[in-house]
Amino acid sequence: MEVEDLSARDESASLPEPPSAGGSTMQWEVLAYFAILNIAVGLGSPFGIAGIPINYFLKDRLHLSPVRLALFLAIASIPVCVGFLFGFIRDRWRSAKWGDRQYLFACALVATSGYLWLAASTIDYFKLLALVFVIVIAYVMIFSSAQALMTGVAQAYGMTGRLSVVFGFGYFTPAVISALAGGWLVAHASVSGTFLIAGAVTIVIAMQAFWRLKAASDFESDFGPREKGFAAIKRLIRHRPLWPAAAIYFLWNFGPGWGTPMFYHLTEHVGISSELFGTFTALQSLFFLPTTLLYGYLCTREPLSRLLWWGTIVAILQGPIMFLAIGPVSTIIVAILYGLFGGFATAAYIDLIMRSCPKGLEGTAMMLANTSMFAIAGNVGNLLGSWIYSKGGFASAVIITTLATAVIVPLLRAIPPHLIATRDGEPIDPATT
């Protein structure tokens, strides 16, 4: 196998002329390619369509406490927390012929095999944890390749804003489907059947490895002089725009009031059913989509700086509304407001991360600032929130969540101004990024 020793692209190299905002065949092909890929990744991962059934299996069949359930999820998420290492592997070593598609194909086969093993065998705690851990490793490698490829194409063609919307749809659409299907599967299907469905979705990723997207092929063929590993790490550390973006995304996903505490609060204290909890989770994600679409409309009309401020101010209100969930009807209303308040900010932060990635290290930077921050913040928040909840402090967990989001406001001033001064489709001076 001919292998590329991944190298830094010339930071000052000229960018291709961004396509017109009105849309083109190339743009629509790019959007369709990454929409399908992200949706398949979101559905097929152990945190996708299998997520709610796994939670209920651990809670009801294995009788795990909130803290032990959170610990299971934290262990299973360790590969996600160190996702930047998988991104670095992707950035350094890829087949010259297949590029990122080699990881999509090979890792999808590994994940599918893991699901088939789970479906065909008797499941206990340690077998479930071990095989889920392996599947998560495969999916993190898939995700690092997919996100690096999307970021490189987005930067090259001035589409970071629009592809951040695709990223949002690739995350929230599977979340809606997983929540609705997951709640139904808990009540009507076996855990083995759930794993077979997740394996079937994973095969879609393997099949997409045979789709050669021209914009992706052009990006992968555009490498500059060779760069050694330590030089790449040093360049990443010194890349100033990345770190405010990573810190912002960490704070946005640090939610001691969400995850396991919210699951136990709603199902045990408020007393909603498993199917209603699935509906609640689905509506949360579903109503991220309208404000995510709004971001897609505004990102070509307003500079990112303005959109970041708008999104953050509204997002601060997301925490306090949880106090309104006191029954089935109010829980549904809270789910809708939760999503509406969060979609715009999420798209803006992903747009910022894509703009902040250094060229040639898209996999490492995207997995560090996006995926690792998401996982570390989520798991730290989940463990802290579970401990607080076990002491009877759900309200305190929600207050801490709200304060963490508010801290994003001063961090917005640490972002290099040139990076967020332009609208989507307008070029950013590569020499200053």
Side-chain angles (χ1 to χ4, degrees):
M1 178 177 72
E2 184 184 356
V3 175
E4 294 170 320
D5 182 1
L6 271 240
S7 46
R9 290 185 183 83
D10 185 354
E11 296 278 353
S12 61
S14 60
L15 294 174
E17 185 72 19
S20 63
S24 67
T25 301
M26 184 281 297
Q27 284 185 355
W28 284 110
E29 186 180 10
V30 166
L31 295 174
Y33 179 90
F34 289 111
I36 294 170
L37 179 57
N38 283 326
I39 288 172
V41 171
L43 282 174
S45 83
F47 306 112
I49 200 167
I52 290 179
I54 288 174
N55 277 357
Y56 271 95
F57 181 84
L58 293 169
K59 174 178 175 284
D60 295 338
R61 297 274 293 277
L62 300 183
H63 308 292
L64 266 61
S65 67
V67 173
R68 289 193 66 199
L69 177 55
L71 185 60
F72 178 97
L73 296 175
I75 294 172
S77 299
I78 288 173
V80 189
C81 295
V82 294
F84 60 91
L85 296 178
F86 294 85
F88 189 73
I89 291 171
R90 175 267 168 200
D91 287 339
R92 302 301 299 171
W93 297 286
R94 297 200 303 281
S95 161
K97 180 178 180 180
W98 280 73
D100 285 296
R101 295 181 300 126
Q102 76 176 31
Y103 291 119
L104 299 183
F105 181 74
C107 294
L109 292 183
V110 171
T112 301
S113 300
Y115 280 131
L116 292 176
W117 192 348
L118 282 171
S121 60
T122 303
I123 303 174
D124 59 28
Y125 178 87
F126 291 104
K127 180 181 289 185
L128 180 62
L129 179 59
L131 288 174
V132 166
F133 192 83
V134 171
I135 296 169
V136 170
I137 288 175
Y139 261 95
V140 172
M141 194 70 243
I142 291 169
F143 195 67
S144 67
S145 295
Q147 296 311 298
L149 192 58
M150 185 171 71
T151 298
V153 172
Q155 288 182 344
Y157 291 92
M159 297 177 67
T160 58
R162 283 159 289 179
L163 282 175
S164 73
V165 173
V166 169
F167 175 90
F169 266 75
Y171 179 82
F172 296 116
T173 300
V176 173
I177 297 172
S178 297
L180 291 174
W184 185 90
L185 288 169
V186 168
H188 299 95
S190 66
V191 176
S192 295
T194 299
F195 290 134
L196 287 175
I197 294 171
V201 173
T202 305
I203 292 175
V204 174
I205 300 171
M207 293 172 62
Q208 188 156 354
F210 296 94
W211 180 352
R212 295 194 64 126
L213 180 70
K214 184 180 184 304
S217 298
D218 292 345
F219 158 71
E220 290 189 314
S221 65
D222 180 26
F223 290 102
R226 293 163 68 93
E227 181 181 36
K228 294 183 178 179
F230 285 112
I233 294 172
K234 186 176 180 181
R235 182 163 65 91
L236 179 74
I237 293 172
R238 291 182 174 180
H239 192 71
R240 179 174 171 259
L242 182 64
W243 302 109
I248 287 169
Y249 208 61
F250 176 90
L251 290 169
W252 176 230
N253 289 286
F254 179 72
W258 312 143
T260 302
M262 184 170 65
F263 172 61
Y264 276 85
H265 174 73
L266 292 177
T267 57
E268 296 191 349
H269 180 72
V270 179
I272 66 174
S273 67
S274 64
E275 292 195 47
L276 183 56
F277 180 76
T279 302
F280 170 83
T281 306
L283 288 174
Q284 280 184 304
S285 299
L286 177 63
F287 280 89
F288 266 78
L289 297 178
T291 46
T292 300
L293 275 177
L294 176 62
Y295 185 85
Y297 172 78
L298 291 175
C299 70
T300 58
R301 292 164 174 81
E302 299 288 344
L304 178 56
S305 57
R306 192 169 299 163
L307 301 179
L308 284 167
W309 280 97
W310 292 350
T312 301
I313 291 170
V314 173
I316 293 171
L317 302 175
Q318 195 183 55
I321 62 173
M322 272 305 301
F323 295 124
L324 303 176
I326 57 176
V329 175
S330 59
T331 297
I332 294 301
I333 294 173
V334 165
I336 293 170
L337 294 175
Y338 179 98
L340 291 175
F341 290 171
F344 196 95
T346 301
Y349 300 149
I350 294 297
D351 189 349
L352 173 64
I353 292 171
M354 285 187 182
R355 293 187 184 208
S356 303
C357 291
K359 301 190 189 308
L361 292 171
E362 293 89 356
T364 312
M366 192 70 177
M367 294 298 287
L368 173 65
N370 174 12
T371 309
S372 293
M373 290 300 102
F374 176 86
I376 293 170
N379 282 292
V380 170
N382 201 29
L383 288 168
L384 175 62
S386 298
W387 179 80
I388 293 173
Y389 178 81
S390 67
K391 303 297 182 180
F394 181 71
S396 299
V398 172
I399 290 171
I400 294 171
T401 301
T402 304
L403 292 175
T405 305
V407 173
I408 294 174
V409 172
L411 276 178
L412 294 177
R413 299 189 180 278
I415 303 169
H418 70 273
L419 193 67
I420 56 177
T422 58
R423 299 172 295 178
D424 197 47
E426 295 178 342
I428 302 172
D429 182 2
T432 61
T433 59

